[in-house]
Amino acid sequence: LIDRAPSSRPKYANPTSTRSMRLHCPICGERDRREFYYQGAALALGRPEPEAGEAAWDAYVHLRDNQPGDLDELWSHDQGCGAWLVVTRNTVTHEMKGAALATGKDARR
């Protein structure tokens, strides 16, 4: 085995931890993540109009910043009330920083 010095990288959430990730549903309260279905980054919130043109659609479909830190994501509470949520999650630590109901056309994908 190679002896390595302690890493200066940030500590990530332990994927083998027995403590499950929790999300706060504005309707049902705090729930286990397994009640929800991850729908992806909240890009649907900025979806171009159908007639927006090829460049706008190319950017929407293919270009991602993919930076570490806070990201707005769409989640649906499939095993609960069925609500669509915009969840702010830190992609490095997996800390859930907030959740709000997705409303109007934002709730449809």
Side-chain angles (χ1 to χ4, degrees), residues 6-92:
S7 175
S8 61
R9 292 174 45 191
K11 293 186 178 187
Y12 296 92
N14 182 355
T16 60
S17 173
T18 57
R19 185 173 175 247
S20 178
M21 190 165 56
R22 311 279 293 174
L23 278 92
H24 179 81
C25 175
I27 297 171
C28 304
E30 189 173 299
R31 297 288 204 240
D32 187 282
R33 187 224 33 98
R34 292 172 287 196
E35 289 189 17
F36 298 83
Y37 185 77
Y38 173 74
Q39 300 288 345
L43 296 173
L45 303 178
R47 184 181 183 129
E49 294 296 324
E51 61 279 343
E54 188 174 317
W57 278 99
D58 181 60
Y60 173 74
V61 172
H62 299 289
L63 301 180
R64 304 284 186 270
D65 288 336
N66 203 24
Q67 296 293 317
D70 293 350
L71 178 68
D72 287 336
E73 303 172 327
L74 287 175
W75 291 72
S76 57
H77 195 179
D78 289 358
Q79 301 299 314
C81 62
W84 283 74
L85 308 175
V86 176
V87 175
T88 302
R89 181 178 66 90
N90 185 292
T91 59
V92 175

